[in-house]
Amino acid sequence: MPGIQALPGLARCCLALLLAGAAVAAPDDSPAPLLGELDDFPHAVQVATSQEAVVDYEVGLGAMQKHLGDWQFKHSRRVNGERLRYTWQITDGFSSEEVYRQLTTRLSGWEGSEQLFSCEGRSCGNGAQWANLVFGQRVLYGRADAQRYTVFSFGGEQGYLVLAYAAARTTDRQYLHAEVIDLAP
């Protein structure tokens, strides 16, 4: 199975279809190229990116909550694999919610996609904990009512997980964070 690196031309084509609203199949069975090519979206400015192997990485499948003094997920799953992550600031009057909804709508339409968890607003839990503890990106901290999070699975246990998180501080400070975890690197 291919890794999360892909042909830029194919990814650019799929991103154009994604943003145009067309239903597409995941290129090379990986959703990662679409996330990488969001850098070409003129209203998304990349503020962080990384790629690394992860061991026992905790993927939230429930809200952040405080339990016995510690912040933790209500439900979660630990995974091993190769993680690709991006954080963008959404600019020029576009909202992070708008880009998030377009992305999640297209991901949900892919063959074999399964939404494992989704939350909006205060039902996600404490936004500061999502920003700092979960994603390590303090710019993601915003209004509790403006946060959105979802997790998709593609290809089962040896496939991919895709996480998307949207946050808004103000109209000018809108952010989208996304991760693709290749479970069989």
Side-chain angles (χ1 to χ4, degrees):
M1 182 172 286
I4 56 181
Q5 298 300 324
L7 299 172
L10 176 61
R12 191 171 292 108
C13 172
C14 290
L15 177 66
L17 291 171
L18 170 76
L19 295 176
V24 296
D28 296 331
D29 297 322
S30 169
L34 291 176
L35 300 182
E37 292 300 322
L38 267 171
D39 289 330
D40 290 341
F41 182 54
H43 309 289
V45 177
Q46 185 185 109
V47 295
T49 185
S50 67
Q51 181 175 351
E52 64 184 337
V54 291
V55 176
D56 289 329
Y57 181 63
E58 188 173 22
V59 174
L61 299 175
M64 287 297 296
Q65 59 185 16
K66 200 168 194 176
H67 181 70
L68 300 174
D70 289 327
W71 287 98
Q72 57 188 310
F73 294 113
K74 185 173 182 178
H75 303 286
S76 66
R77 174 180 165 195
R78 293 206 174 262
V79 298
N80 299 325
E82 185 78 15
R83 180 184 66 193
L84 176 64
R85 64 180 1 185
Y86 288 93
T87 304
W88 299 275
Q89 181 174 4
I90 308 302
T91 62
D92 302 327
F94 284 80
S95 72
S96 58
E97 178 184 358
E98 182 179 7
V99 178
Y100 168 88
R101 291 215 187 276
Q102 288 178 358
L103 177 63
T104 57
T105 297
R106 295 305 123 220
L107 290 172
S108 67
W110 282 0
E111 185 178 328
S113 72
E114 177 186 356
Q115 187 174 41
L116 301 179
F117 177 73
S118 183
C119 64
E120 292 189 7
R122 297 184 188 282
S123 69
C124 294
N126 187 294
Q129 300 308 316
W130 282 101
N132 298 316
L133 182 66
V134 177
F135 298 122
Q137 294 290 328
R138 66 188 190 113
V139 298
L140 294 174
Y141 176 61
R143 298 186 333 260
D145 63 321
Q147 66 184 341
R148 278 116 180 82
Y149 173 73
T150 193
V151 179
F152 284 95
S153 174
F154 298 90
E157 294 295 317
Q158 296 299 309
Y160 300 88
L161 293 178
V162 177
L163 293 66
Y165 181 81
R169 289 182 176 205
T170 65
T171 11
D172 295 335
R173 298 177 78 190
Q174 305 271 322
Y175 295 92
L176 178 68
H177 178 87
E179 300 184 3
V180 175
I181 304 167
D182 182 348
L183 301 174

